[in-house]
Amino acid sequence: MRARFIPLAGVALLLAVPLTANAFEVFRYEEATIADIHTALKAKTLACRALVQMYLDRIEAYDRKGPALNAIVVTNPDALKVADALDAKYAQSGPVGPLHCVPLIVKDNYETTEMTTSAGSLSLKGVVAKTDAFQIKKLRAAGAIMLAKSNMAEFAFDPMETVNSLLPGYTRNPYALDRVTAGSSGGTAAAVAANFVAVGLGTDTGNSIRGPSSHTSLVGIRSTMGLTSRDGIVPLFLDKDIGGPMARTVTDAVAIFDVIAGPDPADPATTAGQGKRADSYMKFLDRDGVRGTRLGVVRQLFTPPNVDPEVLRRMEQALADLKRLGATIVDPVQIAEIDGIPPPMLFCFRFKFDINDYLPRLAPEAQVKSLDDIIKSGKFHPSIEKRLLDRQAEPPLAENQRCMQVAKNMQQMREAVQKVMDDNTLDALVYPTWAFPPRVIGDLNTPHGNNSPRLSPPTGFPAITVPMGFVRDSLPVGLQVLGRAWSEPTLIKIVYAYEQATRHRRPPTSTPPLPAHP
């Protein structure tokens, strides 16, 4: 007989109630958190194997069938075996770490030894890395299970939509199946939002953790540059690439962040973070964390007509909520560089150099060893052909006048943001993550409203997006909170207190709990 296991909405639930024939009748219909899973494991009302099988069943039911979210590239063939081993260890000596039996969705540009790493490209189809990415190693050591690899915009190029040459079609937004999840971590966003897994990993070069999280009512953390390792992640622009968590709650996002943050000898950028890591980020989950803070409102990023009226109303309500929670709202603050520096001039298009340095590590598994090989293979989505050709034509970084100017602009933006925060004694800046709701799939002409690339990557400062409610009844929008370098503790306090007071997150209706198995 097949083992009975908990439908997703009810993992939280029975706790001390045995799994009897009518046990499902007493489930509370809410989404499972890491704490819920651990409580159920401790109460022996849930086994790790059953939890993993439940998530696999949801992927089977909803990723290619039903709403056909198209969020998953491949599932881990060893996932149930890993779950069995964790169950045995739990019975013998308790949890192996703080993420014991926490299933994760991993964006397809993180190296994992049991699943392919293709960065969404046919040119890398079938490539299996020799080692795990640094963050994956840390998560495994903490007891997490790499359940599946998620769909992404090819080579993480596109912040607007998640489409590539590896899987046909777009990743769909579970809140509105005709809408995008943004890019490039759209597969992770859809999977976590639809409860295919407990938590997920994305990457963010300009938008790609925070944007998809905003579009799917999730929490996404982009850390200070240098606080988390990029080793083993396929690069886009290595001076701005960040890997980090995407989750349904602030607590779960911070639980992942707490494990992955810290120095890595293989990533020289993390030497800047030596001594900057908090001993525990979980201790900053403070329900009263907004009280006494000073928050600056960056209205330049959402001034009519460059903002959807409903998003603007959600933002005004968020400001009222933050004020009610004890914040002093400084509205507005002015950063001249936002208007004075064109957004593209904050990004050095260095993909050729970073991918050429990276690809040899995949040899001999990868048939392509350079960007030139990728272009000659023809194995990429037509939508990125021009970008690939343009990047291939970039002059060397030491001679690249545009990138030299970008470096100056980044420094200017960093100093300007720091000065505005210092002059106004601010703890953080706030603005909508996107000033418009998710677009219809295929629409690249209406205003997009993507605010994520404007401040955080160019400055290297951390930013977190948290659900801010819905527009058009069902389309999620997010509030972004940005702080000084290494201010993750302050940002965590703010977004946690705001989340706990507002509780905007709700699950999508397109992927309901599966029926209980007999």
Side-chain angles (χ1 to χ4, degrees):
M1 180 183 293
R2 190 173 186 178
R4 181 184 296 275
F5 42 84
I6 299 174
L8 179 61
V11 171
L13 341 208
L14 280 188
L15 306 184
V17 180
L19 293 178
T20 60
N22 62 356
F24 292 102
E25 297 174 8
V26 298
F27 283 174
R28 292 174 55 210
Y29 285 100
E30 60 187 26
E31 299 177 283
T33 66
I34 293 172
D36 293 331
I37 292 169
H38 286 168
T39 301
L41 290 172
K42 185 176 181 180
K44 299 183 179 179
T45 60
L46 177 71
C48 187
R49 181 185 180 89
L51 178 69
V52 168
Q53 184 64 61
M54 179 273 293
Y55 283 127
L56 291 172
D57 286 352
R58 287 185 62 80
I59 291 170
E60 173 67 21
Y62 293 135
D63 191 58
R64 297 288 185 269
K65 303 173 185 175
L69 297 184
N70 204 32
I72 303 300
V73 173
V74 62
T75 56
N76 183 352
D78 297 328
L80 290 172
K81 198 179 302 182
V82 173
D84 286 340
L86 287 171
D87 277 334
K89 288 179 181 177
Y90 195 90
Q92 182 179 20
S93 56
V96 301
L99 300 179
H100 183 94
C101 187
V102 174
L104 276 95
I105 291 283
V106 180
K107 189 176 179 179
D108 192 28
N109 55 354
Y110 281 80
E111 292 179 3
T112 54
T113 53
E114 75 281 75
M115 294 178 282
T116 56
T117 301
S118 64
S121 183
L122 273 174
S123 66
L124 291 176
K125 183 178 180 180
V127 173
V128 179
K130 302 181 188 70
T131 60
D132 286 325
F134 178 83
Q135 291 190 22
I136 301 297
K137 292 176 184 175
K138 298 278 282 185
L139 292 164
R140 286 196 206 276
I145 301 173
M146 307 307 126
L147 186 70
K149 300 296 278 289
S150 59
N151 203 17
M152 60 179 284
E154 191 156 359
F155 290 115
F157 272 130
D158 200 331
M160 306 299 172
E161 54 189 9
T162 298
V163 64
N164 59 48
S165 61
L166 192 69
L167 292 181
Y170 296 79
T171 294
R172 300 172 183 235
N173 192 317
Y175 287 93
L177 299 176
D178 64 338
R179 302 274 174 160
V180 298
T181 52
S184 62
S185 308
T188 297
V192 176
N195 294 287
F196 286 179
V197 74
V199 286
L201 286 178
T203 62
D204 188 313
T205 304
N207 159 80
S208 299
I209 286 173
R210 294 159 295 149
S213 293
S214 174
H215 273 17
T216 55
S217 198
L218 299 179
V219 177
I221 299 177
R222 179 187 167 91
S223 67
T224 305
M225 177 61 71
L227 189 54
T228 51
S229 171
R230 290 84 48 79
D231 182 60
I233 299 175
V234 182
L236 176 56
F237 305 147
L238 200 55
D239 63 331
K240 293 185 177 67
D241 293 345
I242 289 283
M246 302 166 69
R248 294 185 292 270
T249 67
V250 173
T251 300
D252 283 358
V254 174
I256 299 300
F257 185 69
D258 206 34
V259 168
I260 64 174
D264 172 17
D267 183 354
T270 63
T271 59
Q274 294 279 9
K276 301 292 188 179
R277 190 203 188 285
D279 58 346
S280 169
Y281 289 99
M282 296 295 284
K283 71 182 183 183
F284 299 105
L285 297 169
D286 180 358
R287 288 178 181 268
D288 202 30
V290 169
R291 189 169 305 283
T293 60
R294 289 175 57 84
L295 307 178
V297 183
V298 190
R299 287 201 177 264
Q300 289 160 283
L301 299 179
F302 60 104
T303 300
N306 298 314
V307 61
D308 179 86
E310 288 190 54
V311 175
L312 181 57
R313 284 195 288 273
R314 297 288 80 74
M315 185 65 197
E316 299 296 355
Q317 183 59 56
L319 294 175
D321 290 335
L322 290 165
K323 185 175 181 180
R324 173 176 55 85
L325 293 170
T328 298
I329 307 298
V330 182
D331 185 6
V333 296
Q334 193 76 13
I335 304 171
E337 284 71 12
I338 289 176
D339 301 320
I341 302 175
M345 288 304 296
L346 290 165
F347 287 81
C348 169
F349 300 141
R350 51 182 292 161
F351 176 70
K352 175 174 72 172
F353 313 106
D354 293 333
I355 199 71
N356 286 351
D357 286 344
Y358 169 81
L359 286 172
R361 73 182 274 153
L362 298 181
E365 284 78 6
Q367 296 180 12
V368 291
K369 305 295 188 296
S370 67
L371 175 55
D372 188 51
D373 289 345
I374 292 170
I375 293 170
K376 288 177 179 176
S377 77
K379 295 179 179 179
F380 50 81
H381 196 274
S383 65
I384 70 165
E385 181 174 13
K386 184 177 187 306
R387 271 178 271 201
L388 293 177
L389 293 172
D390 288 348
R391 299 298 82 81
Q392 178 65 6
E394 289 284 331
L397 290 176
E399 305 167 14
N400 194 315
Q401 295 298 317
R402 184 182 180 282
C403 287
M404 293 178 192
Q405 184 60 50
V406 165
K408 294 177 182 176
N409 292 347
M410 288 170 58
Q411 180 64 26
Q412 186 180 345
M413 181 66 79
R414 184 160 46 245
E415 291 173 356
V417 171
Q418 185 74 53
K419 185 175 189 305
V420 164
M421 296 188 71
D422 290 347
D423 288 350
N424 292 277
T425 324
L426 299 176
D427 295 287
L429 301 175
V430 294
Y431 45 92
T433 305
W434 282 60
F436 288 85
R439 283 168 160 171
V440 172
I441 288 173
D443 172 19
L444 293 176
N445 296 314
T446 59
H448 57 78
N450 178 13
N451 285 326
S452 290
R454 304 299 297 275
L455 296 179
S456 180
T459 61
F461 294 169
I464 302 178
T465 187
V466 63
M468 189 170 69
F470 296 82
V471 299
R472 319 286 196 274
D473 296 327
S474 63
L475 300 179
V477 291
L479 171 69
Q480 191 154 163
V481 186
L482 176 141
R484 296 173 175 80
W486 321 113
S487 68
E488 281 82 357
T490 297
L491 300 187
I492 288 167
K493 284 183 177 183
I494 293 168
V495 296
Y496 179 73
Y498 173 77
E499 173 204 51
Q500 293 299 300
T502 57
R503 300 282 185 174
H504 287 303
R505 163 79 191 173
R506 65 174 186 252
T509 59
S510 67
T511 53
L514 295 176
H517 289 272

